[in-house]
Amino acid sequence: MRTEIRFLLAVVLMIGVLVITNVLFPPVPPVETVGPAVTDSAQSVAPSDSGGIRPPGAGAEVPAVTGGAGGGPIREVEPPEEAEAEVGETTLVVESPLYSFAFSDRGARLVSAKLLGFPSFTFPGSVELIHPEGRGALGTRVLVGRDTLDLRDSAFQVEPEGGLKLAAGTGPQTLHFVYQHPSHPFRYEASYTFSPDQYLVEVSGRVSGVDASVLFIDLGEGIPFNEQREQDEARASAYVVNHQQRGIWAQPLNRVEGARVEEGPFYWVAFKSKYFVLGLLAGSEEEEAHLGGAIAHAVPGEYRADLAVSQPVGSGGGFSYRLFLGPQEYARLTNIGTDMEDVNPYGWKFFRPIVRPFVGIIMAVLTFLHENLKLGYGWVLIIFGVLMRVVLYPLNQKAMKAQLKNMAVQPLMQEIQTKFKDNPEKLQKEMMKLYKEHGFNPLAGCLPMLLPWPVLIALFFVFQNTIELRGVAFLWLPDLSAPDPYYVLPIFLGVSMFLLQWVSMRSMPQTNPQMKMMLWMMPIMMVFIFFNLASGLNLYYSTANIATLPQQILIARERQKAQAKGPLTLSK
């Protein structure tokens, strides 16, 4: 069972118990895409003036291209094998306090992208965004007319030759790649500008010597798994696009078959995993730039797809775009614009407008407590669970008074039902009179208690997506964003739920077999549902239950006092 379905079932069961408990015994009141469809096709789609995409040829040979500033045909010169061996391949490294990116001078390809601040649980050292066994990302093909120049294995000149070393507090630095055709004026230039404190890379370049219309830029084959729980990574692995008119949609990588064409224009196209993003974005919003489209090809093996993005070339041969290679930190992605923060959105689409504000507030509170109290997130969650119950205490008191009133009125309702069971019209009239005189509302006792549920639901998605909690240990828990490996918290959660129901049931004037069965079955079902959810969520919910016990005991005593006063009587 999927984690989201498991959690949704838990919420429905808990709300069901809450409502059933409060409405027990009263009479019946009087009747008063994934985004847009895309075409799976391996055939060409003609380019448009807005940068539409046409899949480049799949042949290994680079076709001849006629025309261009220098006139005459262009043919890629294939060096002899001996010359290739002599030249070899050089890897250049761009390193900052945040990342280490390795480029090959063959095709100016990105062959490794490590995020130094995040340990990988599957690779040695830091998180890796590029599949080591693939051909990398950022390899380029140039569309000229209806032919394609493939530069992904061509030898580039690099400046500076030793790569870049960016220190904290210093300014941006640029790595410059140039390909010059050996027998034709065709020239391709690309400059990558890196900042030491940002994961965003500015890219600009120029194509000269030919009348180029579109670039096809490889985005790689997806982000390799970096998490311990393979099922979490598998569920999150997808490429995501943000269409300028139709919005955001995602395509799981295990569902890519053959060739899949995504029609633009797009603000961005990205690979995502559970916590990380490798994305190609159009130029700045002020320029109203866009990406033309994307083509995904299935790659042998699960959760991988070869993705190429088209980038329109300006009338003068110039182009620019941006790259984001980093964590899904909400603030960073929000600062980029164009809804980049929704590359891995919180919750189901119809639910996001409700969940997102709660997620923002919860993360702000958790971060504030973590930074100002200098406590780990485990203790922060315990404090947060207690604080939630303190804040909601007045609402719970209001619910308690409504429950006591309803409990006192129930004998009167039963009396009316018995007295007028053969006269429906009179029964309805007397029930309305009773409601008005005593202010009876069957749901008044449970509605105030439903307010914590948005927080619980938001916390579920916080632990599903929030990278700040990734790998955070607490006591015996190795990772608050992963399930408890020893199942201590789910069992403790079940015990706390049993105690709450037991205390509540003891103060009931009467119980039935269904309630007694629920007392035992509900905690068992919750343990089964929650055992595979994030341990941080279990920790919060268990703490909130324990913090509720004193108030639940107080409510039980008030119920017993109300019962001791005796039942109400019908007015004449």
Side-chain angles (χ1 to χ4, degrees):
M1 184 184 295
R2 290 185 58 185
T3 304
E4 291 86 351
I5 303 300
R6 192 184 287 269
F7 179 74
L8 182 61
L9 178 60
V11 171
V12 171
L13 286 173
M14 288 185 286
I15 292 178
V17 170
L18 181 63
V19 173
I20 291 171
T21 301
N22 283 274
V23 189
L24 195 64
F25 302 122
V28 179
V31 179
E32 300 282 337
T33 332
V34 185
V38 295
T39 304
D40 289 344
S41 172
Q43 299 185 5
S44 297
V45 180
S48 65
D49 294 337
S50 63
I53 187 167
R54 176 171 67 83
E61 294 291 333
V62 180
V65 181
T66 57
I74 307 174
R75 291 189 181 274
E76 185 69 27
V77 177
E78 296 290 345
E81 293 186 5
E82 297 80 1
E84 184 77 24
E86 291 176 4
V87 174
E89 181 178 8
T90 302
T91 300
L92 306 99
V93 176
V94 177
E95 189 167 342
S96 83
L98 298 181
Y99 51 77
S100 177
F101 300 152
F103 288 84
S104 170
D105 64 348
R106 288 287 175 177
R109 291 175 289 110
L110 180 68
V111 294
S112 175
K114 291 185 177 293
L115 305 182
L116 303 181
F118 302 93
S120 175
F121 302 124
T122 57
F123 289 93
S126 303
V127 161
E128 174 64 73
L129 302 184
I130 304 293
H131 281 284
E133 66 275 17
R135 67 184 302 160
L138 307 185
T140 306
R141 287 161 284 178
V142 182
L143 187 67
V144 182
R146 300 194 64 82
D147 294 313
T148 305
L149 282 172
D150 192 341
L151 304 179
R152 292 177 295 180
D153 291 312
S154 299
F156 278 74
Q157 295 178 341
V158 189
E159 175 70 30
E161 296 180 352
L164 299 174
K165 180 77 172 180
L166 293 86
T170 61
Q173 297 186 44
T174 300
L175 191 65
H176 191 61
F177 289 91
V178 176
Y179 171 78
Q180 177 64 61
H181 194 278
S183 60
H184 191 278
F186 168 65
R187 182 181 176 90
Y188 175 87
E189 303 174 66
S191 298
Y192 298 83
T193 301
F194 305 88
S195 297
D197 56 351
Q198 294 185 21
Y199 297 99
L200 194 66
V201 181
E202 300 285 345
V203 185
S204 62
R206 181 169 301 276
V207 180
S208 57
V210 295
D211 295 326
S213 58
V214 174
L215 304 180
F216 292 96
I217 304 164
D218 290 348
L219 204 56
E221 299 178 359
I223 299 176
F225 290 3
N226 286 279
E227 307 304 316
Q228 289 179 341
R229 283 169 52 86
E230 185 175 307
Q231 59 267 44
D232 290 346
E233 289 279 61
R235 185 169 54 248
S237 292
Y239 68 80
V240 191
V241 299
N242 185 3
H243 196 280
Q244 287 191 344
Q245 284 81 45
R246 288 170 283 185
I248 298 172
W249 74 86
Q251 177 64 31
L253 296 189
N254 63 332
R255 297 183 187 173
V256 177
E257 298 178 357
R260 183 182 175 93
V261 177
E262 306 282 10
E263 295 283 356
F266 297 126
Y267 289 115
W268 47 260
V269 178
F271 279 122
K272 76 176 181 74
S273 63
K274 183 177 181 181
Y275 292 116
F276 304 99
V277 179
L278 169 56
L280 194 150
L281 305 87
S284 63
E285 295 181 76
E286 291 76 10
E287 298 172 354
E288 298 183 353
H290 64 271
L291 304 175
I295 311 170
H297 289 273
V299 174
E302 293 184 326
Y303 308 107
R304 294 177 68 176
D306 189 357
L307 186 64
V309 183
S310 72
Q311 163 69 48
V313 177
S315 56
F319 62 87
S320 65
Y321 57 89
R322 295 173 293 168
L323 297 167
F324 183 84
L325 308 96
Q328 294 175 30
E329 292 176 345
Y330 190 82
R332 288 185 186 273
L333 296 178
T334 301
N335 289 336
I336 293 175
T338 62
D339 298 323
M340 191 66 184
E341 66 275 12
D342 285 333
V343 68
N344 199 11
Y346 290 105
W348 306 282
K349 189 172 184 179
F350 71 93
F351 216 52
R352 289 171 203 160
I354 301 173
V355 171
R356 187 184 294 172
F358 283 96
V359 169
I361 294 171
I362 289 171
M363 280 310 303
V365 173
L366 294 181
T367 303
F368 176 84
L369 294 174
H370 172 67
E371 294 178 351
N372 289 273
L373 299 181
K374 309 299 181 184
L375 294 174
Y377 276 107
W379 293 111
V380 166
L381 285 170
I382 292 175
I383 295 173
F384 184 70
V386 174
L387 286 177
M388 281 297 301
R389 290 305 172 185
V390 172
V391 170
L392 294 173
Y393 182 83
L395 289 175
N396 289 335
Q397 286 295 102
K398 183 177 180 180
M400 178 194 73
K401 292 178 180 179
Q403 289 173 349
L404 293 175
K405 182 183 293 185
N406 292 348
M407 184 178 67
V409 173
Q410 281 181 14
L412 301 182
M413 291 188 295
Q414 293 173 357
E415 183 179 343
I416 291 173
Q417 286 178 324
T418 302
K419 185 175 181 180
F420 300 104
K421 64 180 179 179
D422 297 325
N423 189 344
E425 185 176 346
K426 182 68 174 177
L427 173 63
Q428 181 176 359
K429 183 177 179 181
E430 290 296 322
M431 291 295 293
M432 290 297 296
K433 180 180 177 181
L434 182 68
Y435 290 170
K436 185 176 180 179
E437 287 182 356
H438 295 279
F440 175 77
N441 182 353
L443 298 179
C446 65
L447 288 177
M449 300 173 69
L450 291 176
L451 291 180
W453 294 115
V455 175
L456 181 64
I457 294 170
L459 275 171
F460 169 76
F461 291 111
V462 163
F463 284 101
Q464 286 288 98
N465 296 59
T466 305
I467 194 169
E468 286 83 356
L469 300 173
R470 175 185 184 264
V472 175
F474 177 67
L475 300 179
W476 72 91
L477 303 169
D479 186 350
L480 286 173
S481 65
D484 183 344
Y486 307 108
Y487 308 114
V488 173
L489 280 177
I491 294 174
F492 185 72
L493 173 63
V495 172
S496 67
M497 291 193 68
F498 176 85
L499 288 174
L500 285 175
Q501 293 185 79
W502 182 73
V503 170
S504 178
M505 190 174 297
R506 288 190 64 194
S507 63
M508 290 288 183
Q510 54 184 320
T511 59
N512 57 22
Q514 289 79 12
M515 288 187 66
K516 292 180 179 178
M517 183 179 68
M518 192 176 297
L519 172 66
W520 294 98
M521 292 301 298
M522 187 65 181
I524 294 174
M525 293 178 65
M526 296 305 295
V527 170
F528 172 75
I529 292 172
F530 271 73
F531 85 95
N532 204 35
L533 299 183
S535 56
L537 183 67
N538 279 279
L539 179 63
Y540 161 79
Y541 195 30
S542 299
T543 301
N545 282 350
I546 296 302
T548 307
L549 267 177
Q551 189 176 39
Q552 197 69 22
I553 294 172
L554 177 62
I555 292 174
R557 290 176 178 174
E558 292 294 330
R559 280 178 178 167
Q560 292 171 345
K561 290 179 182 179
Q563 294 172 35
K565 293 180 180 178
L568 298 175
T569 57
L570 285 172
S571 59
K572 301 296 184 180

